[in-house]
Structure formats: structure tokens, C-alpha cells
């Protein structure tokens, strides 16, 4: 079961990497969140989840990251950027789901 989710996470990450970062969002803060760092944090956590279980402090960071997306997404009016960051949120959410299953 976890392997299927890991495969899906890997595929989603590949899709995300293939998408260009949204124009005008470099150096932009939304809801006090740097959008480049939000993107980078998502990639970092997801890459680490693919390699194995996260340490407990990192699990908490991943859960907080998913919450950050819930704050910033409603504030994005650009259609492409909304799609891009929604996809990144889905990557983070799947990574968090995988970590939750590893705890059991």
C-alpha cells in the first residue's frame, strides 16, 4: 500500500518539476510566506519522504507546511499560479499521508 503511494508521490514530484515556476512569484510573499521557499520546502520534504521515514520534528514541519498552503492558496488570484501551488500542496499532503501511515 505504501509503495503505491510512494510511486504516486514520485510521479507527482516529476510533474511538479516539469511545470515552470509562476511568473511574478519569485520574491513574492503571500500571507507572510515566501513563495519560493514554500516551493523549495515542499520539494525537500517530499524528496526525504521518498528516501524513508522522516524524524519526528520533520514530520511536524511537513504537517505545518500543508497548513500553510491552506492559508496562501485562497490569496492567489493568478490561474496558473493557483494550479501550480495547488499541485505543490497535493504533493505535500500525499507526503504527509505517507508519513502518517508509517507511524502505524
Amino acid at each position: 500500500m505504501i509503495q503505491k503511494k510512494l510511486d504516486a508521490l514520485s510521479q507527482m514530484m516529476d510533474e511538479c518539476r516539469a511545470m515552470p515556476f509562476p511568473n511574478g512569484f519569485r520574491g513574492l510573499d503571500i500571507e507572510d510566506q515566501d513563495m519560493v521557499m514554500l516551493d523549495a520546502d515542499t520539494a525537500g520534504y517530499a524528496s526525504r519522504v521518498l528516501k524513508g521515514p522522516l524524524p519526528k520534528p520533520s514530520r511536524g514541519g511537513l504537517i505545518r507546511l500543508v497548513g500553510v498552503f491552506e492559508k496562501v492558496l485562497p490569496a492567489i488570484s493568478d490561474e496558473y499560479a493557483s494550479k501550480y501551488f495547488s499541485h505543490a500542496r497535493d504533493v505535500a499532503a500525499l507526503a504527509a499521508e505517507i508519513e502518517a501511515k508509517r507511524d502505524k
Side-chain angles (χ1 to χ4, degrees):
M1 178 75 160
I2 278 188
Q3 188 56 50
K4 285 184 181 183
K5 293 205 179 277
L6 288 167
D7 292 344
L9 179 61
S10 179
Q11 180 178 345
M12 288 173 70
M13 286 183 62
D14 288 345
E15 292 167 359
C16 208
R17 277 186 228 131
M19 297 172 73
F21 192 81
N23 286 332
F25 280 74
R26 291 192 197 291
L28 181 65
D29 283 8
I30 297 177
E31 298 294 326
D32 295 323
Q33 298 298 317
D34 180 295
M35 300 309 287
V36 170
M37 288 306 302
L38 185 61
D39 188 52
D41 287 347
T42 301
Y45 279 115
S47 293
R48 289 174 57 201
V49 166
L50 288 173
K51 292 178 183 172
L54 293 176
K56 287 204 183 254
S58 294
R59 288 180 184 181
L62 177 57
I63 291 167
R64 283 188 297 279
L65 181 68
V66 174
V68 168
F69 277 107
E70 298 311 318
K71 282 177 40 184
V72 300
L73 282 172
I76 298 174
S77 59
D78 178 84
E79 185 177 340
Y80 176 76
S82 180
K83 178 181 173 185
Y84 182 92
F85 288 108
S86 290
H87 190 75
R89 184 235 11 239
D90 294 346
V91 167
L94 181 55
E97 180 183 335
I98 290 167
E99 281 302 302
K101 289 188 182 300
R102 285 179 170 157
D103 261 351
K104 293 179 181 181

